[in-house]
Amino acid sequence: MARSALLNVMVQAAVKAGKSLTRDFGEVQNLQVSVKGPGDFVSQADFKAEKIVHDELMKSRPTYGFLGEEGGEEKGTDGAHRWIVDPLDGTTNFLHGIPQFATSIALERNGEIVAGVIFNPATDELFTAEKGGGAFLNDRRLRVAARRVLSDCVIGCGVPHLGRGNHGKFLVELRHVMGEVAGVRRMGAAALDLAYVAAGRLDGFWEADLNAWDMAAGLILIKEAGGFASDMKGGQNMFETKTVVAGNELIQKALLEVSNRPVPNR
């Protein structure tokens, strides 16, 4: 596959950060861990990885804006472009020695995501996409799964935990979805979950209480793999509502309907 100069910069930054994460993952018991909030941990690995990504991207495009999970937002003089970065998506997995985590980088141009990279260094899987250029896993072209009915599908989700999300609302959503599908999976790294939808590993995915850096790269992967995504109201305000529902055209629509069913009367 041919990559643009910008995508190459993104790949290089993700892979470099991934090497740092791999070293820390091998010594996960020795990491300095601080607590950001209940059930939400951040390690020195996050900060190191974000600095690596930041320095690599800004060295190449110093006028672009930058939004990172750990460092917040920097306005760029360019005005049209912004990097959206999660240096370590799946931090809790990482800190527990579970090899399901990734560095996620997206490029936003005039409010539209035009390129995305998601790299899991533990599995050496590199997901990439550019507007109009398709989505790829390493060098293999990706397409979303072609299943047409929810009863055949495995659906990914996020599960709210201590101090995060609306537990009651999620349990209602889960009750509705689990009664319609072949399986539900919660793997703990939203960026990779969205990449798995693009790769056809998951037929669909829904989650609330996400941030832009959790979704941005995954959204363009799904779109370029022939899939569809919306917020949980059916619109395109995923960053504002902090929600996402994704799949192929039929499954995304069906999952949106099922997850929004009202609470049944007792």
Side-chain angles (χ1 to χ4, degrees):
M1 57 166 288
R3 294 180 184 142
S4 70
L6 273 173
L7 190 60
N8 276 327
V9 167
M10 296 166 70
V11 167
Q12 289 166 11
V15 170
K16 189 170 181 179
K19 290 179 179 177
S20 175
L21 291 174
T22 299
R23 288 191 295 270
D24 285 334
F25 189 62
E27 300 180 8
V28 68
Q29 298 301 321
N30 299 321
L31 287 176
Q32 290 180 276
V33 180
S34 59
V35 179
K36 274 201 301 194
D40 188 11
F41 305 102
V42 62
S43 71
Q44 293 303 311
D46 295 76
F47 292 105
K48 283 196 294 183
E50 183 161 310
K51 185 177 188 308
I52 289 168
V53 173
H54 177 275
D55 291 352
E56 288 292 308
L57 296 178
M58 302 309 285
K59 179 172 64 178
S60 174
R61 298 293 191 276
T63 63
Y64 287 13
F66 186 95
L67 174 64
E69 180 178 13
E70 306 306 338
E73 185 164 13
E74 299 175 18
K75 298 291 186 182
T77 58
D78 171 279
H81 295 86
R82 180 172 68 158
W83 303 112
I84 303 176
V85 174
D86 191 341
L88 175 51
D89 185 57
T91 304
T92 302
N93 283 350
F94 182 88
L95 292 175
H96 285 77
I98 301 170
Q100 185 74 0
F101 59 88
T103 295
S104 177
I105 304 171
L107 176 61
E108 183 182 60
R109 178 180 295 138
N110 294 318
E112 179 186 11
I113 304 301
V114 295
V117 171
I118 297 171
F119 179 53
N120 181 350
T123 59
D124 199 32
E125 290 189 320
L126 177 69
F127 298 87
T128 59
E130 283 187 280
K131 182 181 178 181
F136 294 84
L137 168 53
N138 297 334
D139 292 321
R140 178 172 63 84
R141 184 74 179 256
L142 297 181
R143 295 294 296 178
V144 293
R147 294 179 184 87
R148 302 176 62 85
V149 292
L150 279 176
S151 58
D152 293 335
C153 291
V154 172
I155 303 296
C157 67
V159 178
H161 52 77
L162 179 65
R164 287 284 297 274
N166 186 328
H167 295 202
K169 183 174 184 296
F170 170 76
L171 289 172
V172 172
E173 295 165 3
L174 180 62
R175 176 181 174 180
H176 291 315
V177 173
M178 65 192 284
E180 300 281 349
V181 302
V184 178
R185 301 289 183 268
R186 194 288 199 252
M187 291 182 280
L192 282 175
D193 290 334
L194 293 169
Y196 279 19
V197 173
R201 295 174 178 176
L202 292 172
D203 297 286
F205 176 78
W206 95 98
E207 186 167 0
D209 202 29
L210 292 174
N211 291 295
W213 49 77
D214 298 310
M215 295 185 274
L219 291 175
I220 189 168
L221 276 162
I222 289 170
K223 183 176 182 180
E224 290 297 323
F228 292 79
S230 75
D231 59 41
M232 290 190 71
K233 296 179 179 179
Q236 290 298 303
N237 300 311
M238 284 79 86
F239 293 173
E240 291 79 9
T241 65
K242 306 182 79 171
T243 65
V244 65
V245 182
N248 68 29
E249 185 173 13
L250 292 174
I251 297 306
Q252 192 274 341
K253 184 177 180 181
L255 183 58
L256 182 66
E257 186 275 324
V258 170
S259 63
N260 275 292
R261 286 178 184 166
V263 178
N265 293 323
R266 292 187 181 275

